[in-house]
Amino acid sequence: MAGEPVNVNEFEELARKVLPKIYYDFFSGGAEDQYTLKENIEAFRRITIRPRILVDVSKIDMSTIILGHRTSAPIIVAPTSSHQLAHPEGEVATARGAAACNVIMGVAFTSTCTMEEVASSCKAVRFIQTFAFKREITANMVQRAERNGFRAIILTADTPRLGRKEADIKNKMIAPPFKNFEGLISTEAVSDKGSNVEAYAAETLDPSFCWKQTKAIEAGVVAGIIVSNHGARQLDYTPATISVLEEVVHAVQGKVPVLFDGGIRRGTDIFKALALGAKAVLIGRPVIYGLAAKGETGVKQVIDMLKNELEQTMALAGCCTVDDITRSHVNTETERFLCRM
Ligand SMILES: Cc1cc2nc3c(=O)[nH]c(=O)nc-3n(C[C@H](O)[C@H](O)[C@H](O)COP(=O)(O)O)c2cc1C
Ligand SMILES: CC(C)CC(=O)C(=O)O
């Protein structure tokens, strides 16, 4: 690739060049055959956009309100682990990039900077992500989230154990120290066989956590739902997230906002997810690639690229605000053939 990257996929190329293979494989990889990994991207390509023309699009406003927080666009940085493997400044740089773009920063508890370091380094609205950890870890996380001004807790529910990423196993991937666990568990490498990320997960997760233990929805503590397959890193052969979004939106019946992630690489992808009912989208790997390539500046550039592409898509499709994007602005695969569009 010659010159500056002009889209998110070119940032991936840059990241691939600068990262040691073991880390590039860790960030880019998915579970087992990586069927779902490919599908998360491919399924977007099968959805087409139905533009409206001769609409006054002289002013486009992408701003929206997510769980009470006004943001510049319906974009959230997805919680992903291990940012210091991409760049020495890690999650602090990512959060600053998110703050510069006025979008929400999702911080993984398995981050390489502590929650406190991220909180004190930037003004971004921050959500903290947790797994169903053993109870003492969760209690510690909740207290620190409150103390450090995190505005929501994202509970990742698909990880009673870690998915099998075969590249990590072959590469004998060593997890970086996850500093949030300091004082709670041993943060030293815990296995010399295959990927020790799996060993880490086994030490911290509570695989017995299930519906019996939570009445969260009845108690009204669920403020939103994220339709996600963990970037295709857990159960392979689950469907592409974009192909099930609408079904979830119907089931939720507007009771809480539905957010979405998995495979967003273009502004058109964001537009399609919004048309199918998402309130906002989370972006995982592209942000990591921006961070790897250029630190905080790269994160900002990636988010700005996606914002600019969304703005362009909205203008060309005849939508001045995110609320103007409706179900009738897209055709799914089946509809495409029915309508002969
Ligand atoms: C390298 C990597 C690490 C991740 N770590 C976490 C994590 O610690 N917690 C979590 O809930 N999700 C994690 N995810 C999943 C993301 O939150 C998100 O669902 C996914 O990246 C979205 O797909 P995308 O990468 O195609 O945008 C991770 C994803 C990647 C790629
Ligand atoms: C450290 C891991 C548990 C992070 C994760 O969720 C992932 O790599 O997909």
Side-chain angles (χ1 to χ4, degrees):
M1 180 201 3
E4 284 291 298
V6 294
N7 60 44
V8 158
N9 290 328
E10 292 192 355
F11 260 104
E12 173 165 8
E13 273 307 294
L14 281 186
R16 198 169 56 79
K17 285 190 185 129
V18 300
L19 285 172
K21 180 180 181 302
I22 178 170
Y23 297 155
Y24 174 76
D25 286 355
F26 169 72
F27 288 129
S28 62
E32 298 186 349
D33 291 340
Q34 306 192 114
Y35 166 84
T36 300
L37 186 69
K38 289 189 199 78
E39 268 297 291
N40 271 359
I41 307 272
E42 288 301 317
F44 272 109
R45 297 183 198 272
R46 297 194 288 263
I47 299 169
T48 53
I49 296 175
R50 294 172 49 138
R52 307 291 188 272
I53 54 169
L54 295 179
V55 174
D56 175 358
V57 288
S58 47
K59 283 203 191 75
I60 304 290
D61 177 5
M62 289 184 291
S63 70
T64 190
I65 297 177
I66 304 166
L67 302 185
H69 305 285
R70 182 163 282 285
T71 68
S72 66
I75 292 176
I76 300 173
V77 173
T80 54
S81 70
S82 312
H83 287 199
Q84 279 180 345
L85 298 184
H87 188 275
E89 289 167 20
E91 290 81 5
V92 162
T94 315
R96 287 189 177 140
C101 299
N102 186 16
V103 300
I104 295 171
M105 170 72 193
V107 182
F109 192 71
T110 51
S111 50
T112 38
C113 303
T114 62
M115 294 167 68
E116 289 75 11
E117 285 166 342
V118 177
S120 63
S121 67
C122 78
K123 289 203 174 71
V125 172
R126 297 172 302 276
F127 294 172
I128 183 79
Q129 174 272 330
T130 182
F131 294 103
F133 285 126
K134 293 180 178 156
R135 294 307 160 85
E136 59 279 15
I137 301 175
T138 306
N140 173 279
M141 179 279 299
V142 172
Q143 283 160 9
R144 290 163 66 189
E146 281 185 330
R147 253 199 324 266
N148 290 285
F150 285 79
R151 310 312 297 259
I153 295 173
I154 299 173
L155 172 63
T156 301
D158 64 2
T159 312
R161 61 167 77 173
L162 208 60
R164 285 188 77 249
K165 280 150 278 174
E166 293 178 355
D168 294 350
I169 294 168
K170 281 204 171 135
N171 291 336
K172 297 199 189 319
M173 171 68 193
I174 302 287
F178 295 134
K179 289 209 286 187
N180 283 321
F181 288 105
E182 263 167 27
L184 293 167
I185 58 156
S186 158
T187 49
E188 294 301 307
V190 278
S191 163
D192 58 357
K193 286 192 265 101
S195 159
N196 89 329
V197 188
E198 262 178 76
Y200 231 117
E203 199 174 322
T204 54
L205 296 171
D206 173 3
S208 72
F209 187 82
C210 62
W211 289 118
K212 277 192 203 142
Q213 290 152 332
T214 173
K215 295 278 179 207
I217 294 171
E218 286 95 328
V221 297
V222 173
I225 287 176
I226 305 177
V227 177
S228 172
N229 56 27
H230 207 127
R233 291 163 76 83
Q234 284 297 107
L235 182 59
D236 201 14
Y237 294 97
T238 53
T241 39
I242 194 65
S243 69
V244 298
L245 171 60
E246 196 170 23
E247 191 182 335
V248 178
V249 168
H250 280 149
V252 170
Q253 294 180 331
K255 286 181 191 142
V256 291
V258 175
L259 310 180
F260 169 89
D261 75 25
I264 298 273
R265 301 293 180 267
R266 284 281 187 189
T268 47
D269 298 335
I270 303 176
F271 183 94
K272 291 171 186 178
L274 264 49
L276 290 168
K279 176 77 185 162
V281 301
L282 291 81
I283 315 287
R285 292 179 182 83
V287 168
I288 300 175
Y289 299 144
L291 178 69
K294 298 185 184 196
E296 175 186 334
T297 308
V299 171
K300 181 172 180 314
Q301 282 181 2
V302 160
I303 298 169
D304 279 341
M305 265 177 188
L306 290 170
K307 280 172 65 172
N308 290 338
E309 287 181 3
L310 175 62
E311 203 258 356
Q312 168 87 347
T313 307
M314 287 170 65
L316 294 182
C319 299
C320 297
T321 70
V322 289
D323 289 336
D324 292 339
I325 305 171
T326 66
R327 179 62 181 83
S328 68
H329 284 91
V330 290
N331 269 339
T332 58
E333 199 176 15
T334 19
E335 289 159 354
R336 228 168 354 123
F337 288 107
L338 291 174
C339 307
R340 300 211 173 92
M341 272 276 297

